[in-house]
C-alpha cells in the first residue's frame, strides 16, 4: 500500500472503531485485525439488538474493469454471504465502491441465476435446454479442440471475451494450445482512443493523476460513468476539493458536466477541431512548455521528413507547428463546433495556466462515436504534450507505468499462426480484433469456427447489428459448437449449444491491476466461501464445491479442458498445466496463484514475511498489494549500467540499441544522457508518426481533425435529420450483466431519447411521446424525454437498457427484460416487438413481487449497422438518424432491421480501408501492441 493510502486507511480504521464486540461509534471500515471475527447488530432485528458474527474475506469487484476491492461479510452461523462492502486496504479504491460493487450480493442471490450447465436439445435458438454434466461439456470441447489442433485447423478455435476481469490468464491458455483465437469486445469500446494514445506514446491509455491536477479536461462523463469509474471519480473529486477546475466536453449535460466549471457542448464529431483550436491558442500565445517539447517531441524526425529543405532547428520546428495549427482559430472552431470562441480561449488559458498539472482523459465517447475518432485522443494528448504535463505530478502518464502484470509459472511460446477472421488484412492498424465484423466475415466465407466460446460476452445485445449475429450464431455450418461461459442469462447465450454458469466476483480467482493513479498495485479476486472453508480446515478440490449449485470458476475450467485436450502430453499443451510444485501432476488453482505471489510480485514475499504469512495467505487476507508508489517521469529515468551493457548508440547518434541483434531502440540520448524515453520507435512522443505515413495514411501523420461520418453539415433539416449519440453510460448499470442485480434496476430501468425542447417543438413531440428513430438499416421506437441537457440537432439514448427474452420462464433476467417476439419478415428483415413489459414475478426473493418498473428500455444497438473505422478498426457508434413521432402500429420498444442492408454497409466501409501488406510485407507494424501477440514470423504475409 502506498504511504498516502496507508495513512488514510489507518486513520479510517483505527481512529473511529473503539471497542471489541459491536462498535459503539460509527466506523468507516472494520479494522483488519478484527476481520476474522466481526460483530454487527442485525439491521432487520431492529429495535432489538441482535448480534451477528461475520468473517470478512476480501475479493475484487467483477462488475467493471476498475477492479475495486470488496469485503465479503460471511455469516458465521449460516455460511452465507450477507453483504459486500469496500476493502479499505485496496490502493485503487481505498474502501469505496460505486453502486455496482455492493450489488454483487444481488447477483449471488438472484433467483433467476443459472446454477448448472445446460445443453440445448432442440434447434439452436429455440430455447429448449436440458441439464448436463461438466464432464460431458469438457469432453465434448476437448475432443473438438484436439481434432482441430491435430489437423492443424488452429484458426477455428475462438475465445471471445466481453469483460476480461483478469490480466493475461487466458493468453497463456490460448498460447499453450498454439491457436490465434483471442477475440475481444474492444473495437466496440475503446479502440479509437487507444490508437490515438498509442501513436503518441506507445501505450494505449492515459493514467491521469487527477488528485494532484489543477485543471481537468474530460471528454464525456468520466466522473460518474467513465473508465475506472470509482477510483478515478474519487480522485477527480479530491482534485476538485483541493481547488482544481473541471471542464467537460460532451454534447450531453452529463452528471459530470453539471458539476464542472465549464461545459462545452460541441457538435458530435467536431471534438478534435475544438481541441486543436485550444492548441492553436496555446501555440499562438507561446504558452507551451518549450523545454519539454524540445526534449521529448520527435521534432527532428518531423523536420527531416516533412520539412526536408528547411533548417533542422528547434526554432524552425516551433515556427512550423505554429503555422500548421494556425487555421484552427477559436473563430474557426466556433463555426465548426458550435462552441463560443471566448469559452475556447478561456479554457485554453486555464490549461496553459495549469501547465504540468493538467490532467485529461478521453475513453469511449467522441473517440468511439466518430469516423476518425482516434484523432480526438491524439488532439487531446497534444494539449498535454504542449503543456509538458506528461509524466508529471498532476498530469497524465502512460498507463503502463501504473499497471503491474504478474507473470505465471509457465509462459508458452507465441503462436505461429495469424487468424485473418479476427485480424483481416484490411485493418493493419486496428487496435484490437475486428470482432464486431465476425458475422459479416463468416458470411463472406472468410472463416469457419469449430469451437466458439463467448465468455462474459453478449454480442447479440451489446454489438451493433445484433440480428446479423443471430443469423450467424444459428448457422451450424459456420459455427459448429458454441459455449456461452456466463454468470447470467443473456440474449447471446440463448443461441449457444451450451450455457456454462461461471462465478460472480466473490466466486472466482483473478489478479487485476489498473492505472488508477501514479502507482502500481495488484488486486486479488477470490472465491470467498472456498477461502473461508479452507481456512477452517476443509479440503476443497475445486471452487464449484463451495459455490452455489455447480457454478465453476473459469480458471479451473481452462485447466481441466487443457488437460483433457492433451492427456498424454504429446501435443505440448499439458506441460503448461503441470504443477510447478508437483512435477507431472495437474496444477491446482491454489498452486497457480501461490507461485505468482511467491515469485513474480516484487516486495510481496518480504511484506508477507513481516506479517508472518505466506505470500498467498497475505493476499488471501488483504486482497490487494501496492507494488510501487509515486511513479512519475519514467521517460526521464537514466538507463542503468546493467541495461546499457551490450548496447550501442546507432549511426544517428541518438538511439540506444541492443547489440548485435534487436533493432528496436531501448532508450534515447537526450542532451547527452541515455534516457528511457517512451515506448515508441523514436523513443520520443510521436507528434509526427512515420508509422501512419508508412502504412498508407500520410495525410494523418500528425494530430489532426477528421470529418466525422455524422458531420452536422450533412444533416438535412427538412428530413428531420439528427445526430444520435448512443454511447453514454448509466453509472449504476453494467453493460450486459446488471440484469441480475435488482437494486441497480430499481435505480435505472429505462433509456429515453433525449430531445432538446426546440427540436421537440419542431417535431411535435411532447415529453413521454413515442418517437420513431430511423437509421440506415431500420428503426427503433423510444419514448422522448424533452430536456435542455442535450444540444439542439442532437438526440441521445443510453445503450445500457432494452434487455429482452423470448420465453416467459427462462432467458434474460425478469428484473430487467421485456418478453418479446422475434419475427423474420423475409429477405433479411427482422422485427423485435415487446409483448409484455417488465412486471412482478413470484420467486424465492419477495422483492421480485414488488417490481414497480414496466418499461425496460429499447434495444437501439440492433438498429445500427457496423461502421468500422478504416484506421483504428473502432466501430463508429454515432448515427445519422431521422426522428419523427411514432406512426402506424409502432409500439414502444419496436425494432425493425434489414440485415442485407447491413451487409451492404459493411462492404461500403470495407472499401474505405488501405490493406496490408505494409513495409516489409507485414500485416501490422511490429511495434504496435497486439493482444496475445503471435510470433514475429506470423506478421509476414505469406502470399503462397
Ligand atoms: S467502479 Fe464500481 S463496478 Fe467498477 S469495480 Fe469499482 S465498485 Fe465495481
Amino acid at each position: 500500500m502506498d504511504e498516502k493510502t496507508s495513512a488514510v486507511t489507518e486513520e479510517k480504521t483505527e481512529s473511529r472503531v473503539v471497542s471489541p464486540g459491536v462498535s459503539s461509534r460509527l466506523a468507516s471500515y472494520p479494522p483488519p485485525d478484527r476481520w476474522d471475527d466481526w460483530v454487527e447488530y442485525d439491521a432487520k432485528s431492529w429495535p432489538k439488538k441482535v448480534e451477528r458474527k461475520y468473517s470478512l474475506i476480501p475479493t475484487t469487484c467483477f462488475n467493471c474493469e476498475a477492479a475495486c476491492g470488496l469485503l465479503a461479510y460471511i455469516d458465521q452461523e449460516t455460511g452465507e454471504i450477507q453483504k459486500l462492502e469496500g476493502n479499505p486496504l485496496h490502493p485503487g479504491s481505498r474502501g469505496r465502491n460505486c453502486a455496482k460493487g455492493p450489488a454483487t450480493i444481488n447477483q449471488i442471490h438472484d433467483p433467476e441465476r443459472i446454477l448448472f450447465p445446460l445443453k440445448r436439445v432442440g434447434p439452436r435458438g429455440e430455447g429448449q435446454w436440458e441439464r448436463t454434466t461438466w464432464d460431458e461439456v469438457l469432453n465434448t470441447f476437448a475432443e473438438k479442440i484436439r481434432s482441430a489442433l491435430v489437423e492443424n485447423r488452429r484458426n477455428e478455435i475462438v475465445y471471445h471475451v466481453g469483460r476480461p476481469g483478469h490480466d493475461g490468464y487466458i493468453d497463456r491458455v490460448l498460447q499453450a494450445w498454439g491457436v490465434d483465437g483471442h477475440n475481444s469486445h474492444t473495437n466496440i469500446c475503446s479502440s479509437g482512443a487507444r490508437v490515438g494514445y498509442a501513436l503518441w506514446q506507445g501505450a494505449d491509455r492515459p493514467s491521469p493523476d487527477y488528485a494532484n491536477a489543477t485543471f481537468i479536461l474530460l471528454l464525456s462523463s468520466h466522473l460518474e460513468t467513465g473508465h475506472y469509474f470509482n477510483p478515478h471519480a474519487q480522485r477527480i473529486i479530491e482534485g476538485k476539493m483541493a481547488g482544481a477546475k473541471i471542464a467537460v466536453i460532451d454534447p450531453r449535460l452529463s452528471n459530470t458536466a453539471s458539476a464542472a466549471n465549464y461545459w462545452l457542448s460541441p457538435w458530435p464529431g467536431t471534438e478534435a477541431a475544438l481541441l486543436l483550436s485550444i492548441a492553436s491558442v496555446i501555440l499562438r500565445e507561446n504558452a507551451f512548455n518549450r523545454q519539454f517539447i524540445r526534449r521529448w517531441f520527435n521534432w527532428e524526425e518531423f523536420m527531416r521528413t516533412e520539412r526536408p529543405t528547411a533548417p533542422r532547428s528547434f526554432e524552425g520546428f516551433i515556427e512550423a507547428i505554429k503555422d500548421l495549427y494556425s487555421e484552427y482559430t477559436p473563430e474557426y472552431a466556433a463555426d465548426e463546433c458550435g462552441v463560443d470562441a471566448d469559452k475556447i480561449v478561456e479554457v485554453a488559458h486555464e490549461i496553459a495556466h495549469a501547465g504540468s498539472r493538467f490532467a485529461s482523459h478521453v475513453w469511449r465517447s467522441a473517440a468511439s462515436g466518430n469516423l476518425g475518432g482516434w484523432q480526438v485522443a491524439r488532439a487531446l494528448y497534444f494539449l498535454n504534450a504542449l503543456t509538458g504535463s506528461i509524466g508529471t505530478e498532476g498530469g497524465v502518464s502512460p498507463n503502463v507505468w501504473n499497471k503491474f502484470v504478474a507473470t505465471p509459472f509457465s509462459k508458452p511460446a507465441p503462436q505461429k499462426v495469424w487468424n485473418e477472421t479476427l485480424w483481416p488484412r484490411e485493418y493493419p492498424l486496428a487496435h484490437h480484433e475486428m470482432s464486431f465484423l465476425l458475422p459479416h466475415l463468416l458470411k463472406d466465407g472468410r472463416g469457419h469456427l469449430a469451437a466458439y466460446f463467448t465468455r462474459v460476452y453478449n454480442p447479440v445485445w451489446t454489438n451493433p447489428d445484433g440480428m446479423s449475429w443471430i443469423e450467424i450464431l444459428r448457422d451450424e455450418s459456420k459455427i459448429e459448437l458454441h459455449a456461452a461461459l456466463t454468470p447470467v442469462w443473456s440474449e447471446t447465450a440463448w443461441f449457444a449449444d451450451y450455457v456454462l454458469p461461471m462465478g460472480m466476483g466473490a466466486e472466482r480467482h483473478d489478479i487485476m491491476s489498473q492505472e488508477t493513479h501514479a502507482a502500481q498495485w495488484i488486486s486479488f479476486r477470490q472465491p470467498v466461501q472456498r477461502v473461508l472453508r479452507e481456512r477452517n480446515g476443509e479440503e476443497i478440490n475445486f471452487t464449484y464445491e463451495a459455490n452455489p449449485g455447480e457454478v465453476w470458476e473459469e480458471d479451473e475450467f481452462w485447466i481441466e479442458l487443457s488437460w483433457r485436450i492433451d492427456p498424454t502430453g504429446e501435443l505440448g499443451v499439458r506441460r503448461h498445466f503441470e504443477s510447478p510444485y508437483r512435477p507431472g501432476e495437474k496444477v491446482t488453482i491454489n498452486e497457480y496463484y501461490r507461485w505468482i505471489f511467491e515469485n513474480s510480485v516484487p516486495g510481496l514475499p518480504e511484506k508477507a514475511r513481516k506479517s508472518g504469512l505466506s505470500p498467498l495467505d497475505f493476499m488471501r487476507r488483504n486482497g490487494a498489494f501496492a507494488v510501487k508508489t509515486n511513479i512519475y517521469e519514467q521517460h526521464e529515468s537514466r538507463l542503468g549500467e546493467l541495461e546499457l551493457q551490450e548496447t550501442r548508440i546507432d549511426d544517428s547518434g541518438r538511439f540506444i540499441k541492443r547489440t548485435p541483434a534487436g533493432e528496436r531502440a531501448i532508450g534515447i540520448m537526450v542532451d547527452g544522457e541515455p534516457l528511457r524515453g517512451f515506448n515508441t520507435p523514436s523513443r520520443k512522443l510521436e507528434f509526427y508518426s512515420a508509422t501512419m505515413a508508412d502504412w498508407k495514411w500520410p495525410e494523418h501523420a500528425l494530430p489532426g481533425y477528421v470529418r466525422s461520418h455524422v458531420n452536422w453539415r450533412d444533416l438535412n433539416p427538412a428530413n428531420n435529420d439528427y445526430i444520435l449519440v448512443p454511447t453514454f453510460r448509466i453509472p449504476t448499470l453494467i453493460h450486459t450483466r446488471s440484469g441480475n442485480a435488482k437494486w441497480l434496476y430499481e435505480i435505472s430501468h429505462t433509456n429515453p431519447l433525449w430531445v432538446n425542447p426546440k427540436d421537440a417543438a419542431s417535431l411535435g413531440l411532447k415529453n413521454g411521446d413515442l418517437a420513431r428513430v430511423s437509421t440506415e438499416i431500420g428503426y427503433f421506437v423510444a419514448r422522448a424525454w424533452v430536456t435542455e441537457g442535450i444540444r439542439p440537432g442532437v438526440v441521445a439514448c443510453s445503450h445500457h437498457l432494452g434487455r429482452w427474452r423470448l420465453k416467459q420462464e427462462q432467458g434474460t433476467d425478469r428484473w430487467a427484460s421485456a418478453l418479446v417476439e422475434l419475427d423474420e419478415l423475409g429477405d433479411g428483415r427482422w422485427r423485435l416487438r415487446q409483448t409484455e413489459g417488465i412486471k412482478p414475478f413470484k420467486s424465492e426473493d419477495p422483492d421480485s413481487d414488488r417490481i414497480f418498473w414496466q418499461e425496460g428500455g429499447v434495444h437501439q444497438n440492433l438498429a445500427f449497422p457496423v461502421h468500422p473505422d478504416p484506421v483504428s478498426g473502432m466501430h463508429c457508434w454515432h448515427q445519422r438518424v431521422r426522428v419523427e413521432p411514432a406512426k402506424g402500429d409502432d409500439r414502444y420498444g419496436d425494432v425493425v432491421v434489414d440485415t442485407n442492408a447491413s451487409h451492404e454497409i459493411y462492404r461500403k466501409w470495407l472499401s474505405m480501408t488501405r490493406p496490408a501488406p505494409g513495409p516489409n510485407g507485414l500485416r501490422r507494424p511490429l511495434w504496435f501492441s497486439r493482444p496475445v501477440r503471435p510470433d514475429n514470423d506470423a506478421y509476414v504475409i505469406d502470399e503462397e
Side-chain angles (χ1 to χ4, degrees), residues 60-70 93 96-102 104 226 228-231 525 731 733-734:
T60 305
C61 181
F62 189 41
N63 281 339
C64 86
E65 204 61 1
C68 298
L70 288 174
S93 56
R96 305 167 210 177
N97 298 100
C98 76
K100 295 169 284 192
T104 304
Y228 309 150
F229 162 42
N230 157 52
R525 186 173 292 123
L733 291 182
I734 309 150

mmCIF file of all heavy atoms in Angstrom, residues 60-70 93 96-102 104 226 228-231 525 731 733-734, ligand 1:
data_model
loop_
_atom_site.group_PDB
_atom_site.id
_atom_site.type_symbol
_atom_site.label_atom_id
_atom_site.label_comp_id
_atom_site.label_asym_id
_atom_site.label_seq_id
_atom_site.Cartn_x
_atom_site.Cartn_y
_atom_site.Cartn_z
ATOM 1 N N THR A 60 -12.380 -8.991 -5.211
ATOM 2 C CA THR A 60 -12.335 -7.877 -6.150
ATOM 3 C C THR A 60 -13.645 -7.831 -6.914
ATOM 4 O O THR A 60 -14.131 -8.865 -7.374
ATOM 5 C CB THR A 60 -11.167 -8.056 -7.146
ATOM 6 O OG1 THR A 60 -9.958 -8.217 -6.417
ATOM 7 C CG2 THR A 60 -11.046 -6.877 -8.094
ATOM 8 N N CYS A 61 -14.169 -6.644 -7.043
ATOM 9 C CA CYS A 61 -15.416 -6.485 -7.790
ATOM 10 C C CYS A 61 -15.214 -6.920 -9.248
ATOM 11 O O CYS A 61 -14.156 -6.688 -9.828
ATOM 12 C CB CYS A 61 -15.847 -5.016 -7.728
ATOM 13 S SG CYS A 61 -17.408 -4.695 -8.594
ATOM 14 N N PHE A 62 -16.230 -7.536 -9.818
ATOM 15 C CA PHE A 62 -16.155 -8.006 -11.220
ATOM 16 C C PHE A 62 -17.180 -7.278 -12.085
ATOM 17 O O PHE A 62 -17.466 -7.685 -13.189
ATOM 18 C CB PHE A 62 -16.419 -9.515 -11.223
ATOM 19 C CG PHE A 62 -16.173 -10.206 -12.543
ATOM 20 C CD1 PHE A 62 -15.084 -9.894 -13.337
ATOM 21 C CD2 PHE A 62 -17.033 -11.189 -12.992
ATOM 22 C CE1 PHE A 62 -14.857 -10.531 -14.549
ATOM 23 C CE2 PHE A 62 -16.818 -11.838 -14.198
ATOM 24 C CZ PHE A 62 -15.726 -11.500 -14.978
ATOM 25 N N ASN A 63 -17.703 -6.163 -11.576
ATOM 26 C CA ASN A 63 -18.779 -5.531 -12.321
ATOM 27 C C ASN A 63 -18.333 -4.430 -13.264
ATOM 28 O O ASN A 63 -19.159 -3.879 -13.986
ATOM 29 C CB ASN A 63 -19.868 -5.050 -11.366
ATOM 30 C CG ASN A 63 -20.731 -6.231 -10.950
ATOM 31 O OD1 ASN A 63 -20.758 -7.254 -11.640
ATOM 32 N ND2 ASN A 63 -21.421 -6.120 -9.821
ATOM 33 N N CYS A 64 -17.070 -4.085 -13.231
ATOM 34 C CA CYS A 64 -16.477 -3.344 -14.336
ATOM 35 C C CYS A 64 -14.997 -3.609 -14.273
ATOM 36 O O CYS A 64 -14.527 -4.362 -13.432
ATOM 37 C CB CYS A 64 -16.822 -1.856 -14.329
ATOM 38 S SG CYS A 64 -15.755 -0.813 -13.319
ATOM 39 N N GLU A 65 -14.239 -2.972 -15.146
ATOM 40 C CA GLU A 65 -12.822 -3.317 -15.249
ATOM 41 C C GLU A 65 -11.969 -2.588 -14.208
ATOM 42 O O GLU A 65 -10.766 -2.781 -14.141
ATOM 43 C CB GLU A 65 -12.349 -3.011 -16.674
ATOM 44 C CG GLU A 65 -11.143 -3.790 -17.158
ATOM 45 C CD GLU A 65 -11.329 -5.304 -17.210
ATOM 46 O OE1 GLU A 65 -12.407 -5.788 -16.880
ATOM 47 O OE2 GLU A 65 -10.366 -5.991 -17.571
ATOM 48 N N ALA A 66 -12.590 -1.761 -13.364
ATOM 49 C CA ALA A 66 -11.809 -0.971 -12.423
ATOM 50 C C ALA A 66 -11.159 -1.809 -11.327
ATOM 51 O O ALA A 66 -10.180 -1.405 -10.729
ATOM 52 C CB ALA A 66 -12.687 0.111 -11.791
ATOM 53 N N ALA A 67 -11.718 -2.997 -11.058
ATOM 54 C CA ALA A 67 -11.111 -3.916 -10.085
ATOM 55 C C ALA A 67 -11.032 -3.336 -8.678
ATOM 56 O O ALA A 67 -10.024 -3.468 -7.981
ATOM 57 C CB ALA A 67 -9.729 -4.368 -10.543
ATOM 58 N N CYS A 68 -12.090 -2.693 -8.227
ATOM 59 C CA CYS A 68 -12.127 -2.181 -6.856
ATOM 60 C C CYS A 68 -12.168 -3.342 -5.859
ATOM 61 O O CYS A 68 -12.679 -4.419 -6.157
ATOM 62 C CB CYS A 68 -13.377 -1.340 -6.636
ATOM 63 S SG CYS A 68 -13.474 0.114 -7.671
ATOM 64 N N GLY A 69 -11.684 -3.054 -4.678
ATOM 65 C CA GLY A 69 -11.711 -4.068 -3.633
ATOM 66 C C GLY A 69 -13.085 -4.180 -2.993
ATOM 67 O O GLY A 69 -13.801 -3.192 -2.844
ATOM 68 N N LEU A 70 -13.437 -5.395 -2.633
ATOM 69 C CA LEU A 70 -14.669 -5.645 -1.883
ATOM 70 C C LEU A 70 -14.331 -6.476 -0.658
ATOM 71 O O LEU A 70 -13.342 -7.220 -0.643
ATOM 72 C CB LEU A 70 -15.671 -6.424 -2.743
ATOM 73 C CG LEU A 70 -16.365 -5.715 -3.899
ATOM 74 C CD1 LEU A 70 -17.203 -6.706 -4.695
ATOM 75 C CD2 LEU A 70 -17.246 -4.573 -3.404
ATOM 76 N N SER A 93 -9.142 1.597 -4.878
ATOM 77 C CA SER A 93 -10.483 2.039 -4.496
ATOM 78 C C SER A 93 -10.559 2.560 -3.060
ATOM 79 O O SER A 93 -11.511 3.242 -2.697
ATOM 80 C CB SER A 93 -11.488 0.903 -4.678
ATOM 81 O OG SER A 93 -11.097 -0.232 -3.945
ATOM 82 N N ARG A 96 -13.783 2.364 -1.139
ATOM 83 C CA ARG A 96 -15.009 2.930 -1.711
ATOM 84 C C ARG A 96 -15.429 2.123 -2.941
ATOM 85 O O ARG A 96 -14.603 1.547 -3.624
ATOM 86 C CB ARG A 96 -14.764 4.376 -2.119
ATOM 87 C CG ARG A 96 -14.238 5.194 -0.944
ATOM 88 C CD ARG A 96 -13.709 6.532 -1.410
ATOM 89 N NE ARG A 96 -12.636 6.968 -0.537
ATOM 90 C CZ ARG A 96 -11.952 8.079 -0.737
ATOM 91 N NH1 ARG A 96 -12.208 8.870 -1.748
ATOM 92 N NH2 ARG A 96 -10.981 8.414 0.098
ATOM 93 N N ASN A 97 -16.703 2.144 -3.194
ATOM 94 C CA ASN A 97 -17.251 1.451 -4.368
ATOM 95 C C ASN A 97 -18.365 2.288 -4.957
ATOM 96 O O ASN A 97 -18.924 3.148 -4.297
ATOM 97 C CB ASN A 97 -17.837 0.088 -3.978
ATOM 98 C CG ASN A 97 -16.781 -0.833 -3.405
ATOM 99 O OD1 ASN A 97 -16.657 -0.993 -2.199
ATOM 100 N ND2 ASN A 97 -16.001 -1.416 -4.280
ATOM 101 N N CYS A 98 -18.715 1.979 -6.189
ATOM 102 C CA CYS A 98 -19.927 2.554 -6.739
ATOM 103 C C CYS A 98 -21.080 1.610 -6.411
ATOM 104 O O CYS A 98 -20.883 0.550 -5.807
ATOM 105 C CB CYS A 98 -19.791 2.754 -8.240
ATOM 106 S SG CYS A 98 -19.946 1.256 -9.215
ATOM 107 N N ALA A 99 -22.266 1.948 -6.854
ATOM 108 C CA ALA A 99 -23.438 1.136 -6.508
ATOM 109 C C ALA A 99 -23.308 -0.304 -6.991
ATOM 110 O O ALA A 99 -23.873 -1.229 -6.415
ATOM 111 C CB ALA A 99 -24.680 1.774 -7.119
ATOM 112 N N LYS A 100 -22.526 -0.495 -8.066
ATOM 113 C CA LYS A 100 -22.447 -1.818 -8.672
ATOM 114 C C LYS A 100 -21.645 -2.806 -7.833
ATOM 115 O O LYS A 100 -21.828 -4.017 -7.960
ATOM 116 C CB LYS A 100 -21.839 -1.695 -10.071
ATOM 117 C CG LYS A 100 -22.722 -0.908 -11.025
ATOM 118 C CD LYS A 100 -22.003 -0.555 -12.322
ATOM 119 C CE LYS A 100 -21.039 0.574 -12.125
ATOM 120 N NZ LYS A 100 -20.512 1.165 -13.352
ATOM 121 N N GLY A 101 -20.738 -2.283 -7.002
ATOM 122 C CA GLY A 101 -19.940 -3.198 -6.177
ATOM 123 C C GLY A 101 -20.787 -3.931 -5.152
ATOM 124 O O GLY A 101 -20.885 -5.178 -5.163
ATOM 125 N N PRO A 102 -21.449 -3.200 -4.247
ATOM 126 C CA PRO A 102 -22.292 -3.881 -3.254
ATOM 127 C C PRO A 102 -23.423 -4.693 -3.898
ATOM 128 O O PRO A 102 -23.921 -5.649 -3.293
ATOM 129 C CB PRO A 102 -22.868 -2.726 -2.433
ATOM 130 C CG PRO A 102 -21.918 -1.600 -2.634
ATOM 131 C CD PRO A 102 -21.349 -1.763 -4.000
ATOM 132 N N THR A 104 -23.214 -6.794 -6.011
ATOM 133 C CA THR A 104 -22.758 -8.174 -6.254
ATOM 134 C C THR A 104 -23.611 -9.156 -5.447
ATOM 135 O O THR A 104 -23.852 -10.283 -5.896
ATOM 136 C CB THR A 104 -21.272 -8.310 -5.852
ATOM 137 O OG1 THR A 104 -20.516 -7.342 -6.581
ATOM 138 C CG2 THR A 104 -20.730 -9.702 -6.153
ATOM 139 N N GLY A 226 -17.343 6.909 -16.329
ATOM 140 C CA GLY A 226 -16.289 6.601 -17.278
ATOM 141 C C GLY A 226 -15.466 5.390 -16.901
ATOM 142 O O GLY A 226 -15.835 4.579 -16.058
ATOM 143 N N TYR A 228 -12.699 3.112 -15.253
ATOM 144 C CA TYR A 228 -12.203 3.074 -13.871
ATOM 145 C C TYR A 228 -12.992 4.052 -13.011
ATOM 146 O O TYR A 228 -12.469 4.890 -12.290
ATOM 147 C CB TYR A 228 -10.703 3.382 -13.799
ATOM 148 C CG TYR A 228 -9.938 2.538 -14.753
ATOM 149 C CD1 TYR A 228 -8.770 2.944 -15.342
ATOM 150 C CD2 TYR A 228 -10.417 1.272 -15.085
ATOM 151 C CE1 TYR A 228 -8.102 2.139 -16.233
ATOM 152 C CE2 TYR A 228 -9.752 0.465 -15.981
ATOM 153 C CZ TYR A 228 -8.606 0.905 -16.556
ATOM 154 O OH TYR A 228 -7.959 0.107 -17.434
ATOM 155 N N PHE A 229 -14.243 3.907 -13.139
ATOM 156 C CA PHE A 229 -15.218 4.847 -12.632
ATOM 157 C C PHE A 229 -14.938 5.289 -11.192
ATOM 158 O O PHE A 229 -14.596 6.441 -10.940
ATOM 159 C CB PHE A 229 -16.595 4.201 -12.809
ATOM 160 C CG PHE A 229 -17.672 4.783 -12.005
ATOM 161 C CD1 PHE A 229 -17.771 6.152 -11.864
ATOM 162 C CD2 PHE A 229 -18.607 3.973 -11.412
ATOM 163 C CE1 PHE A 229 -18.795 6.699 -11.123
ATOM 164 C CE2 PHE A 229 -19.618 4.508 -10.675
ATOM 165 C CZ PHE A 229 -19.713 5.864 -10.519
ATOM 166 N N ASN A 230 -15.055 4.379 -10.271
ATOM 167 C CA ASN A 230 -14.951 4.804 -8.873
ATOM 168 C C ASN A 230 -13.542 5.276 -8.488
ATOM 169 O O ASN A 230 -13.391 6.345 -7.896
ATOM 170 C CB ASN A 230 -15.474 3.677 -7.968
ATOM 171 C CG ASN A 230 -14.933 3.741 -6.578
ATOM 172 O OD1 ASN A 230 -15.009 4.768 -5.930
ATOM 173 N ND2 ASN A 230 -14.354 2.654 -6.115
ATOM 174 N N PRO A 231 -12.476 4.534 -8.836
ATOM 175 C CA PRO A 231 -11.139 5.017 -8.445
ATOM 176 C C PRO A 231 -10.816 6.377 -9.068
ATOM 177 O O PRO A 231 -10.193 7.219 -8.425
ATOM 178 C CB PRO A 231 -10.196 3.934 -8.971
ATOM 179 C CG PRO A 231 -11.042 2.709 -9.119
ATOM 180 C CD PRO A 231 -12.413 3.202 -9.474
ATOM 181 N N ARG A 525 -8.886 -11.333 -6.793
ATOM 182 C CA ARG A 525 -10.280 -11.763 -6.692
ATOM 183 C C ARG A 525 -10.263 -13.216 -6.200
ATOM 184 O O ARG A 525 -9.454 -14.018 -6.654
ATOM 185 C CB ARG A 525 -10.955 -11.662 -8.050
ATOM 186 C CG ARG A 525 -12.443 -11.942 -8.046
ATOM 187 C CD ARG A 525 -13.059 -11.656 -9.411
ATOM 188 N NE ARG A 525 -13.049 -10.238 -9.716
ATOM 189 C CZ ARG A 525 -12.480 -9.716 -10.804
ATOM 190 N NH1 ARG A 525 -11.907 -10.478 -11.694
ATOM 191 N NH2 ARG A 525 -12.490 -8.413 -11.003
ATOM 192 N N PRO A 731 -24.453 5.265 -14.777
ATOM 193 C CA PRO A 731 -23.451 4.898 -13.771
ATOM 194 C C PRO A 731 -23.819 3.697 -12.924
ATOM 195 O O PRO A 731 -22.954 3.071 -12.331
ATOM 196 C CB PRO A 731 -23.338 6.156 -12.910
ATOM 197 C CG PRO A 731 -24.556 6.959 -13.204
ATOM 198 C CD PRO A 731 -24.971 6.625 -14.587
ATOM 199 N N LEU A 733 -25.446 0.952 -13.996
ATOM 200 C CA LEU A 733 -25.667 -0.308 -14.714
ATOM 201 C C LEU A 733 -24.365 -0.818 -15.315
ATOM 202 O O LEU A 733 -23.460 -0.052 -15.606
ATOM 203 C CB LEU A 733 -26.708 -0.126 -15.818
ATOM 204 C CG LEU A 733 -28.143 0.120 -15.338
ATOM 205 C CD1 LEU A 733 -29.086 0.242 -16.524
ATOM 206 C CD2 LEU A 733 -28.635 -0.992 -14.416
ATOM 207 N N ILE A 734 -24.355 -2.119 -15.512
ATOM 208 C CA ILE A 734 -23.227 -2.771 -16.170
ATOM 209 C C ILE A 734 -23.750 -3.116 -17.559
ATOM 210 O O ILE A 734 -24.889 -3.561 -17.690
ATOM 211 C CB ILE A 734 -22.849 -4.057 -15.413
ATOM 212 C CG1 ILE A 734 -22.672 -3.758 -13.929
ATOM 213 C CG2 ILE A 734 -21.613 -4.703 -16.013
ATOM 214 C CD1 ILE A 734 -23.016 -4.920 -13.053
HETATM 215 S S1 LIG B 1 -16.203 1.118 -10.195
HETATM 216 FE FE1 LIG B 1 -17.999 0.073 -9.323
HETATM 217 S S2 LIG B 1 -18.392 -1.632 -10.725
HETATM 218 FE FE2 LIG B 1 -16.360 -0.893 -11.160
HETATM 219 S S3 LIG B 1 -15.040 -2.262 -9.965
HETATM 220 FE FE3 LIG B 1 -15.448 -0.398 -8.741
HETATM 221 S S4 LIG B 1 -17.208 -0.919 -7.464
HETATM 222 FE FE4 LIG B 1 -17.107 -2.434 -9.111
#
